[in-house]
Every structure is written in C-alpha cells, then in structure tokens.
Amino acid sequence: MSGNMNINLKVWRQKNGKSQGKLVDYKVEGVSPDMSFLEMFDVLNDRLVSEGKDEPIAFDHDCREGICGMCSMYINGRPHGPNQGVTTCQLHMRSFKDGDTIVVEPWRAAAFPVIKDLAVNRSAFDRIIASGGFISVNTGNAQDANSLPIAKDNADEAFAAAACIGCGACVAACKNSSAMLFVSAKVSQLALLPQGDPERNTRVLNMVAQMDTEGFGACTNTGACSAECPKEISLTNIARLNREYFAAQLGSDRS
Amino acid sequence: MLDSKIPQGPIESKWTKYKSTVPLVNPANKRSLEIIVVGTGLAGASAAATLAELGYKVKSFCFQDSPRRAHSIAAQGGINAAKNYQNDGDSVYRLFYDTIKGGDYRAREANVHRLAEVSGNIIDQSVASGVPFAREYGGLLSNRSFGGTQVQRTFYAAGQTGQQLLLGAYSGLQRQVGLGNVRLYSRHEMLDVVNIDGKCRGIIARDLVSGKLERHFGHAVLLCTGGYGNVFFLSTNAMGSNVTAAWKAHKKGAFFGNPCYTQIHPTCIPVSGDHQSKLTLMSESLRNDGRIWVPKRKEDAAAIREGKLNPNDLKEEDRDYYLERRYPAFGNLVPRDVASRAAKERCDAGFGVNKTGEAVYLDFAFNMKYKYGKQVATLKHITDPTEEQLTAFGHEVIKEKYGNLFDMYKQITGVDPYKNPMMIYPAVHYTMGGLWVDYNLMTTVPGLYALGEANFSDHGANRLGASALMQGLADGYFVIPYTIGAYLANEISVKPISTDHEAFVKAENEVSDRLNKLLAIKGTKPVDYFHKRLGKIMWDKCGMARNVEGLTWAISEIQKIREEFWKDVRVPGDANEFNPELEKAGRVADFIELGELMCKDALERNESCGGHFREDYQTEEGEALRDDENFKHVAAWQFNEVGNWTLNKEDLVYENIKIAQRSYK
Ligand SMILES: Cc1cc2nc3c(=O)[nH]c(=O)nc-3n(C[C@H](O)[C@H](O)[C@H](O)COP(=O)(O)OP(=O)(O)OC[C@H]3O[C@@H](n4cnc5c(N)ncnc54)[C@H](O)[C@@H]3O)c2cc1C
Ligand code: SF4
Ligand code: FES
C-alpha cells in the first residue's frame, strides 16, 4: 500500500569521520503519509542497494518507538524534525506535504563526531554518566523498597527528569553545543530522591567536570534544548543543576 | 537425558541451601578471573555490574552505540514481584504457581520458584539505585494487575518501566566502568564463541565502526543477547534485535530449547501497509481499563470497515465483549496466548474492524466515565455529574496512567484514542524459547551461560506479562553472581589464554570468510527482501496457529530461501567500514537457519500448549489441548550441520504443582 507523495531529499553523505561530507539530492516517490520518516529512508535505501550505484545511507535507529534514543536526524534545521515532543522515528510523513524538499543532516557538535553519513558518536554521554550519574549501591545492599516513602510530587518530578532518552538533540539544538539539559536531567532525578542525597555534591561536580572535558559548550540559557527535546525535559532542571553546583562548590550539607 | 542440575531438597529451600553451599571464589582470585558479558539489556547490565562489584574483571559488549539503548529500554508495562504490598493474598508460592500455570506447565519448577523468591529483592535493588517507580499519595509504591493473575503485583513507571529499570542497571554498569572494573565495547557485535578443550574461552567480535575483527579471552562468557522475535520480520522488537549471538553459540555446541515457543501479544497497533518496518505494542497494562470488543453482527463490522458506521455509535447490546463472554473469571485479563487466539478467531470469522479485517477494539470509554470519572466526581463532592463531566474527569486519570501510550498511538495512527476506541491486533512480541540452560544458567557448553530472554528457562510455553523484566534482572542481579562461582571456583588456576591460540585464529578466519562471502555474492536483492519473505512464511505457518501441512511446506520453503539468499543477496560496501547492511545480512542469514528449526520443533510437538497452538490439537471449545503423557518435556535441539539437528529431551517433573488443564473461565 504505497502512497502518492513525492519527496525531495537533501541528505548529508560522508564516507567516514576523516572524509569531507556534502549534501546529496534524492527523489523518493510513492511515499505514503502513514510511513514513518525512517521507513521512507528504508524505501530509499532499498532502492539504492538494488540500483547498486550509490551506497545506502547510514543512520542510527533501533526501537523505532521513541524510547531508545538512538535515532538522530537533523531535519530542516531542527533535531528530530518539525513536531514537538517527537523523535525522528516517531515522525510520520503525514507531517509533510507532497513535493516538499527536506534537508537531513547529522547532529553537529565537536563532542559528537560523525561516524558515517547521519550516524555520530555519542559515547561522551556514557562517560558523563560514568563520572557520577548513579547511586553507589552494590547489588544486595538494598533495604525493603517501601521502607523509604517518597512524596508523590518528588517521585513524579524525578520521573519526569528520568524520562531523558540520551539522544543528544539538546546538544544538536544548542548553538554552543552544550550538554546542560542532558546532565541536568540526571542530576535532578537523583537530587530529588532521598537515595541520591549522600552523593549529591560529588555527583554534580564530577558530571559537570566530565561534561567540560568532553568538549561540550557552555550554557547561555537560550532554551533551544528544551524546545527541541523529544521528551520535553524542562529547563527547571538546568536551574536545579546550577543550584546544586553552587551549593556543592561551597561544600554545603543540604540534608 | 540432559542434566538440569536441580539441587536436591524441598522446593522452598533449594535456592537457600544452594547459595550457602556453592563453592566461593576468594576476592584475590576474582581479580584474575575475566568474564565476558555480551549484551547490556536488563540481564547483561545487571550481571556485568554485579560481577564487577564482586571483583571479577568484566568486559561488556553491545551493538548499539550505548549500553543504555538495549532493547529492554522499550518495555512498557511493568515488572512483577511477590511483595504483597497490596495485601491481596500474594506470596512467593502464588507467583510461582501463576508462572507455571501461565506457562501451560512447560517450565522447570525449581527455576521458577527461585525467580519468585528473588523477585522482591529486584524491586528493593531498583529503588535503591534510583528507579522512579509510580507511587501513591502516601509515598509508597503503587501496583497494577497484569494478565493471568488475580492479584496486583506489577510495579511500574508509567508506560516506561523498562526504560527506568534499564537506566538503573545501566547507571550501576557505568559506575563500574568509571571505576575501571568493566571495559565497555559498544558498537561491537559478537560473531562467534571460541571453545578450547571443550570449554568456552572467548569470543570474536566485530568493531562495527572500523569493521575490524577482535579476539577476546574470558574464563567464562555470558550471552545476554535478547530474544529472536525478529525472525518474523514484523514484531514489536527493536530493529536490531537478533538471534546471531545465540545462534553462533548453538552452532558451537549449545543446545537450543523449545525454539517454537513464541509469544504473540494481543494488543499491538495493526499493520498499516507494505512499508511497515516494525509493529508497536500497546502495553498489556491497558487491559486493566480497556475492554476488548467487536460488533455482534457481521453487517455492523462490515459497515465499520467501510467507514459507514462510527463504532462510538454502536449500542452496548450490539457489542460482543468476547473475552468477558468466554472467560468470565479473568475477562480482559486472560493470558496473552488466549487473548491473541480469541482475537484471531473473531477476525477470521469476519468481525474485524479495520480495512484489512484484522483488528479489534480496545475501548476505554466505559472505564473512563464510569470508573474514573465517578471516582473523581465523588472526590470533588459532585453528586450528580453530567456525562460530559464524567468524561472530562476520567480523561485526566487515563492520561496520568497511560498518557505516553495514548500519545504514541495517536502519533502512529493519526487517530485520537481518547475519543475513539483503539484498534489492536496480535503481533509477535517475545520468544520463550532460547538457549537451553541448567539450573546454573549454563548452556551445554561449559563456561558458556545464557541469561534473560536469550535463554529458554522460566516461562514455559507462554510468558505472563511483566515477567520478562523480572527474569532478566533476577538472572543478572541475583542468580548468576552465585551460580557462576560453581564453575569459576575450579578455574582459578587457569591463566588467561593468549588470543594467538589456534582456536581464536581459526574462529576469526571463519568469521571473516563468512563476511567476505556475503559481500562477494553481489546478487540482485537487498537483505530485507529475504527477511520479509521469511517473516511472512513464519507468520502464516508458524504463528498463532500451526498445522502439519503448513509446517512441512514452510520447512521446504525456508530451505529454498536459504539457497536463494546465498546466491542472490546484494550487500553493498566492504567489511572494513561501518556497514549496517552487512550487519543485517549476517543476522538474516542466521534467522533463516533458525526459522527452519522453529518449524521443525513446532512440527515435532504434537500437542498445543501456551503460545504453540496446533490446530490438530484443540478442545471442542477451541482451547489448547496439551499431551502431558508424551510432551511434558523441554525439546533441546543439538546442531549437527545446517538443516540437521538431533532432538534431546529434558523431562519436566512437577512435584509441587498438580498439573491440570489451564482454565481462565
Ligand atoms: C515493546 C516491548 C515491551 C515490553 N514490555 C515488557 C513489560 O512491560 N514487562 C516485561 O516484563 N517484559 C516486557 N517486554 C519483554 C522484555 O522487554 C524483554 O524480554 C527483556 O527486556 C529482554 O532483556 P534482555 O536483557 O534479555 O535482552 P535485551 O534487552 O534485548 O538486550 C540484548 C542485548 O544484547 C546485545 N546483543 C545482542 N546480540 C549481540 C551480539 N551479537 N553482539 C553484541 N551484543 C549483542 C544488544 O546490544 C543488547 O545490549 C517487552 C518487550 C517489548 C518488545
Ligand atoms: S535532554 Fe532531551 S534532547 Fe537531551 S538527551 Fe535527553 S531526551 Fe534527548
Ligand atoms: S529509534 Fe529508538 S528513539 Fe528513535
């Protein structure tokens, strides 16, 4: 059941991290409005493989349900495309019109080097988490889960921060390539929970230090990150991170 | 006969006694023992983190760009645990019993009991590591019900339970990475295991960015590589989920248990067109509040299909709530296999409600208004609420409970589920089959273990909702850290084997030959062409209903696909670069071999049980008809060569549960 939309794509092609890239034009015909954006790429890649002239376009994706954070396309100047609160894999062609020209590029940030075409290396995020985005509790140390009641509001707020999928759209959206929204989401989640309290100071200091080491830029409060975040992670998390950071620098005990 | 190494003694004390008598490895020795963990889902991440905490040297592998993206991240509905926080009569025994019964008496008692025993610790551990489960106003944890049970024992974090649990396990893993106890290899794909003198001693992995092959030694290797539902092409699994790791192990001596046991989930978004690349689950938790129905009259179904009738306008008495009708005791909460078959039965009989005739309704209107709307009205002291008020109040509650699922539905279908009933249809979701393991989670190859969905162990012929997350974390957090000691205690004197050893060289050469062979075919058809063809055969002949004729045909057809694949597939690019098509080609080649084994297993099992429904074995009411006399065993397949296996059996012994015909009426 293919459809009747024709789409003009301009896609970033780059052989590998060492080579130069450029935008290349492709026409995709018979696109159905029910297709997802990535399914349109499947159709195009299928054709490229069958024709054998050009290599298929490399792009990252896995769950295709908006939860793994793997997909990462910069579409018409916006990470994850035109819709609010939606990842690339959840974007459907009904959000576009027949005859549209769509420019698709990878995330661009010094800390996210391109691997090939639209796929980038985001392992800097893993290293930031490794520097402090956890609670130090070995398996078997835990007490009964209900021995620690947590006010529903705090739990809900921590959950909202924990919804971050680590996609990196916030970095791609930011003119400074800052990772503040990502880092603040994790810092907030753990700062809002009593379990996270003992390591509160070291956590925020270490994570911010690692973020700087990785080469992410500074935050100048433009808010583009939150506007483009597919999980609508709120800017209040950045404010909380700043508070946490200053308090930690002063070495204050907030318990 | 296979030895499952089940400890002696009464079921309640087997695990406790085992734990206190299993050989220990002292801390100094642990530091010189290396463990390879392939996979970073719930099973792999929790195992890698815990083993590193214990002092072992761990290497952790995943094919995604980050361990946090393993497919477990996508689990929605929840995780079971016998905490009895709701005081509704839950207990370890009841969870054990429900799981065995839900699995249609085809799971191993001792493993399932252990699972139920450690279930509570999982919740404790997860909360301690910061997992933000849903809570009540009093600050305590909230629960909901899942199918196949009559208690509320499912813990959840909105519709993102898998995400939150995995991020918890991942943070523990990253902590160990930061401490230098785990070395992380993301964007790496394991392409073979290496056995030396009858023991597993390492793996061959491909760095997916550079394309280089690497050899890694380990005193033991853990496969936590997930399920193989993508053999059907369309499934709810992530695009990358595959059988390759398990299949390579199988070809190197690990038996494959019950390959034909697959779970078809009743509530997924129906197929919309040929371009479809995957299917999306609508969590089972929705069955708490959604009622499943089709029209009572075929004319009405036809009118709905043609767009002439709006389902909202169909009167109550003209709707057939077929699950509530057929299974009054469990109603919409019957187990998945039962619910799926019932949907197929109605659609096959001509009552389907979408264009293709393959969809039924999951309708929230009733509970939105009369359950939640009324509750809120009462709280607000409104004694005589209008229908509009009820809908508005209920809307808010439904939104809080299932908001992200409703948004996802709307995003995918373009239809607003708050206003119209959802349309759903069964889809492939989970594989109960997997590598055969003993009580220690060891495969038939010494030193090679399988955890999580990759093994066959705990769910018999049908898994209950919210039990996969439980099993993954049980295996990784609480089981393997003990059971691996039984093996490694005898390995402390084994020095790391050089990866120049001929076994490593040979395995690497084989992997490299195969990659080059795939690239050299330069045929005419893309990989997906073969995958789709395979998937359609599997769905039609080895899906929700199976029969001798269909399975026999499928086997010969799959053999043909295999031949054609190796003659005519076209894989662009080369091996020394980032090449997703090449990755896919290797995985599909393995799926084709697996597909044949699944059909063979389904053909061999002359009974119906759980997810395996043979049309020739059913009761008069159309329920699955087991044959305990002849099939109360695990089918463990031994690989001889491609297309040729030997069947081994593990007898299942029920000492604590009286086996009976499953009834949810
Ligand atoms: C949409 C959906 C919703 C679900 N919801 C629920 C739910 O609510 N409750 C519940 O209990 N269960 C649920 N399940 C089932 C459950 O999510 C899975 O069974 C479970 O998460 C599997 O975990 P795992 O650790 O075994 O494997 P996975 O999470 O699948 O992880 C596999 C890992 O292995 C790695 N890997 C695989 N092959 C290789 C290789 N060759 N080389 C290197 N690495 C490799 C991958 O990179 C990944 O890290 C759901 C499943 C789906 C599809
Ligand atoms: S904060 Fe939002 S945009 Fe940034 S990584 Fe998390 S989910 Fe993605
Ligand atoms: S592919 Fe997983 S979030 Fe898009």
Side-chain angles (χ1 to χ4, degrees), chain A residues 1-3 15-16 32 34-36 38-39 42-43 45-71 83-86 90-92 94-95 115-117 119-123 125-131 133-153 155-156 158-168 182 186 189-190 193 195-196 199 231, chain B residues 46 49-50 53 63-71 73-76 83 85 121 123-141 157-160 163-164 167 170-172 174-179 184 186-187 209 236-241 271-281 355-356 400 404 407-408 410-414 477-478 481 524-529 532 570-574 577-581:
Chain A
M1 220 191 310
S2 50
K15 179 100 181 117
N16 55 44
S32 145
D34 285 335
M35 269 184 196
S36 72
L38 296 184
E39 282 166 351
D42 293 343
V43 169
N45 273 346
D46 218 70
R47 195 184 83 204
L48 293 178
V49 174
S50 302
E51 290 172 355
K53 281 183 282 197
D54 202 352
E55 271 196 42
I57 301 158
F59 61 93
D60 273 330
H61 65 110
D62 198 19
C63 72
R64 296 204 177 185
E65 293 191 0
I67 194 76
C68 75
M70 188 117 177
C71 60
N83 296 359
Q84 199 76 31
V86 165
Q90 295 248 279
L91 179 63
H92 281 69
R94 68 180 83 90
S95 300
I115 291 174
K116 184 176 183 176
D117 299 336
V120 300
N121 181 344
R122 286 169 287 191
S123 51
F125 272 12
D126 289 327
R127 291 188 292 271
I128 293 177
I129 298 295
S131 73
F134 48 74
I135 291 168
S136 297
V137 51
N138 283 359
T139 303
N141 283 352
Q143 54 186 338
D144 184 84
N146 258 354
S147 62
L148 192 68
I150 300 174
K152 188 171 185 316
D153 290 347
D156 288 351
F159 172 73
C164 164
I165 56 175
C167 62
F182 167 76
K186 187 49 74 182
Q189 177 203 340
L190 299 180
L193 297 171
Q195 307 92 300
E199 293 167 288
K231 297 295 144 180
Chain B
S46 59
T50 305
E53 285 161 15
F63 63 73
Q64 289 91 348
D65 72 330
S66 162
R68 67 181 287 153
R69 308 203 204 284
H71 167 60
I73 199 91
Q76 303 173 347
K83 280 285 200 187
Y85 282 163
N121 301 92
I123 304 304
D124 302 340
Q125 182 63 32
S126 301
V127 167
S129 41
V131 173
F133 282 123
R135 287 176 185 269
E136 305 290 352
Y137 281 99
L140 301 179
L141 293 163
Q160 285 131 272
Q163 180 199 25
Q164 294 309 320
L167 293 182
Y170 158 79
S171 69
Q174 289 306 110
R175 173 173 159 242
Q176 294 304 317
V177 171
L179 292 169
L184 191 62
S186 45
R187 290 206 200 260
V209 176
T236 63
N237 288 11
M239 300 298 288
S241 299
V271 176
S272 78
D274 295 339
H275 56 264
Q276 193 109 18
S277 59
K278 72 156 287 173
L279 295 170
T280 304
L281 173 78
K355 278 195 198 112
T356 63
E400 183 179 336
N404 71 319
D407 291 347
M408 185 148 76
K410 182 163 180 212
Q411 193 58 40
I412 292 171
T413 62
Y477 276 141
F478 297 109
T524 61
K525 308 224 167 51
V527 176
D528 277 356
Y529 165 84
K532 285 182 186 172
R570 182 188 200 101
V571 186
D574 65 68
E577 62 170 345
F578 185 63
N579 189 344
E581 281 291 316

Side-chain angles (χ1 to χ4, degrees), chain B residues 39-40 42-43 63-64 71-72 75-78 190 429-430 453 466 468-469:
Chain B
T40 58
L42 288 182
F63 63 73
Q64 289 91 348
H71 167 60
S72 295
Q76 303 173 347
M190 181 211 113
H429 179 60
Y430 181 87
E453 192 173 339
L469 301 183

Side-chain angles (χ1 to χ4, degrees), chain A residues 62 65, chain B residues 37-45 61-64 66-67 69-80 146 154 161-162 166 185 188-191 203 205 224-227 235-238 240-246 248 265 278-281 283-284 336 428-431 451-455 463-473 587:
Chain A
D62 198 19
E65 293 191 0
Chain B
V37 182
V38 188
T40 58
L42 288 182
F61 292 80
C62 67
F63 63 73
Q64 289 91 348
S66 162
R69 308 203 204 284
H71 167 60
S72 295
I73 199 91
Q76 303 173 347
I79 177 166
N80 289 329
F146 257 51
T154 305
T161 315
L166 183 59
Y185 295 84
H188 274 67
E189 182 166 29
M190 181 211 113
L191 290 177
I203 63 168
C224 314
T225 48
S235 87
T236 63
N237 288 11
S241 299
N242 70 86
V243 77
T244 289
K248 302 301 186 200
H265 196 295
K278 72 156 287 173
L279 295 170
T280 304
L281 173 78
S283 165
E284 176 156 317
R336 293 176 174 176
V428 174
H429 179 60
Y430 181 87
T431 49
L451 282 66
E453 192 173 339
N455 73 27
R463 173 175 70 79
L464 290 182
S467 285
L469 301 183
M470 169 173 71
Q471 184 221 331
L473 289 176
R587 294 169 190 168

